[in-house]
Every structure is written in C-alpha cells, then in structure tokens.
Amino acid sequence: MQGDVMTWLIPLIAMLAAGLLAGFAAGIFGIGGGFVVVPALLVVLPLLGGTHDAIAHVAIGTSAATIIVTSIRSLLSHAKRGAVEFEVLKTWAPWIVLGCGAGVMLASHVDGRTLKMIFGGGVILMSLNFLLPRVSGKVVSDTMPSGILRMGIAGGLGTFSSLLGIGGGTIAIMVMTLCGRTIHRAIATASGIGTLIAIPTTIGFAIIGLKEGGLPWGSLGYINIPATLAIASMSMLTAPLGVAAAHSLPAGPLKKIFGAYLLVIGCLMLRAGLKI
C-alpha cells in the first residue's frame, strides 16, 4: 500500500512543482512554460507507464495543453494593464494555426528520439536570446511585419513551437522589440500568441495519438489528462505573480538565470535523444 502511494505521490509533487514554475515563467517572460514542463514530464511520465517512444510525444502534447491555461491566465493579467496588442494577435492568428498544423503533422512522422533532439536543439537556440546581449534591443522597423513576411514568420513560429510543445513567446518577443515595441508590450502580446499556438497543437496531438499504443495512464491521444490538470492548476496561481514581476523587477539577472537553465536542459535533451 505504501509503495502504491509513493508511486503516485512522487509524480504528483513533481507535476505540481513544474506547474508553479511554468506559470511564473509564463508571466514574467511571456512564454508558455513549455521549456519547464516538457523536461519535467519526460522524467515523470515513465512513472505512469508507457513506452520510451511514446513518452516524448506525450510530453510535447501535454505541455501544449497546459499552455492553454497558463497563457490565457497570463494574457488576461497583462490585458488588465492595457499592454496587449490584440491587432497583432488577430493578424497573426491564421498563419500561426496553419503552422501548428504543419508542426503536428511533422511530429506524427518522427520517433521519440528525433523529437527529443529537436527539442534539445531548439531549447539551446532559445537560450542564446537570454544569455547573449539581446539583438532585440535594436529597432529595425517601426511597424510589424506584413504580407509574405508576416505569413512566413507567424507560420514558422507555429510549426517550430508545436514541435517543441512551447508557446513561442521568445521568438515573438524578439520580433516585436525589433519592430519598436517595448519589452513589456511584447511580453504581454506574446502570452496571447502562446494561446493561439497551444489550442491547435493540443487538438492535433490528441488526434494523432488516438490510435497509438504504449501511452502513459490517463492519456487521451498524446495528451496526459492527470498531468495537464496538475500542472495547469498550479500555473494559474503563479502566472499573475510572474506578470507583476515583469512589470516591476529588472529582468536582466532573471534572464541570465533562465538562459543558463535552458542551455543545461537543451544539452540534457540532446544527450537523452542520442542514448535512445
């Protein structure tokens, strides 16, 4: 009996902790929290059963599901401060959704090893934005991309983010600051972009995983319901705290710490992918 309790208690505590951290990261950095959630799930999900190959897909899909709650909570908090540019969300939405569809289709044709390596490489690239002097500190335009350029950036953002199970906030913030937006408005709007990415990605991963075997207990396709509920419930509590911190604290030191975390996680994911 005691062994059964510990079997469930350990993953539950880990998922609740991941949710707390993911929510805060989403609020302060404008990201969806996937950089925190996916690594945690890759460790925790095997405790719920499932094959090695299925775990990577479930981690990505479940991360996207948690981002729906995290990003909406963060978006509403930023919107109360009048910092969200809803026109950007409206014009980017169709291309982001199409890109997410392409990303989900790609994910359905790669194995768990490849997916881990894609995640690791993507995280290392994202870490550079936090560790190195920000390119986004420069302004190259006073208007947001339009036409084919907008279609390419938004579509590529959707594809890349759906493959990694992230909200795409880092890239969105870089684009917006390059186009003259303040960091606070960029972070606020990026939280909405996370919502646009997370919803179609979650639906897609649920569908492509419906006929797959070897899934962890409680999974609907590649979405693990218990993990989604545990992580999302905690992220709702800390996302507003992250938003408050984003508007009141100097982000420099926090960016360096988070960048170092991403670099370590990226290297570990690449190593894990090569070991399978």
Side-chain angles (χ1 to χ4, degrees):
M1 181 65 179
Q2 185 177 1
D4 292 337
V5 171
M6 293 303 296
T7 299
W8 288 101
L9 185 60
I10 292 174
L12 177 61
I13 292 174
M15 288 185 287
L16 293 175
L20 290 171
L21 184 56
F24 186 81
I28 195 169
F29 295 124
I31 63 176
F35 290 140
V36 175
V37 173
V38 172
L41 289 175
L42 287 172
V43 174
V44 172
L45 286 175
L47 299 177
L48 302 180
T51 64
H52 282 292
D53 198 55
I55 292 300
H57 287 78
V58 176
I60 299 293
T62 303
S63 174
T66 66
I67 289 172
I68 295 176
V69 177
T70 304
S71 60
I72 290 177
R73 188 77 170 96
S74 181
L75 175 65
L76 294 175
S77 296
H78 281 295
K80 289 180 180 178
R81 300 170 182 265
V84 180
E85 296 197 17
F86 285 100
E87 183 62 26
V88 172
L89 299 181
K90 179 181 177 181
T91 55
W92 282 44
W95 312 116
I96 287 176
V97 172
L98 288 174
C100 289
V104 170
M105 292 302 296
L106 285 173
S108 68
H109 289 90
V110 299
D111 58 16
R113 173 181 178 274
T114 304
L115 206 54
K116 283 184 180 180
M117 295 181 69
I118 291 173
F119 182 85
V123 170
I124 290 174
L125 286 176
M126 293 300 98
S127 73
L128 301 180
N129 180 63
F130 292 92
L131 291 173
L132 301 179
R134 287 194 301 113
V135 176
S136 53
K138 301 178 182 179
V139 176
V140 299
S141 173
D142 58 357
T143 60
M144 290 293 290
S146 60
I148 295 177
L149 183 58
R150 177 171 60 201
M151 180 174 63
I153 293 175
L157 175 60
T159 301
F160 181 71
S161 300
S162 61
L163 273 173
L164 270 63
I166 62 175
T170 302
I171 299 173
I173 290 168
M174 290 175 63
V175 173
M176 291 190 69
T177 51
L178 283 170
C179 294
R181 269 54 175 184
T182 66
I183 186 63
H184 291 107
R185 293 190 72 82
I187 289 174
T189 307
S191 62
I193 288 176
T195 305
L196 295 175
I197 290 171
I199 293 175
T201 299
T202 299
I203 295 172
F205 269 82
I207 292 173
I208 66 173
L210 285 176
K211 296 182 179 180
E212 296 297 322
L215 301 177
W217 179 87
S219 296
L220 175 63
Y222 287 135
I223 312 299
N224 187 264
I225 304 303
T228 299
L229 294 176
I231 294 171
S233 63
M234 292 296 100
S235 68
M236 289 180 66
L237 299 177
T238 53
L241 299 179
V243 170
H247 287 269
S248 61
L249 297 177
L254 290 173
K255 283 180 176 288
K256 297 294 184 183
I257 294 172
F258 193 64
Y261 161 80
L262 293 181
L263 185 60
V264 171
I265 290 297
C267 291
L268 290 175
M269 289 302 100
L270 284 177
R271 181 183 178 187
L274 290 172
K275 275 189 172 183
I276 294 179

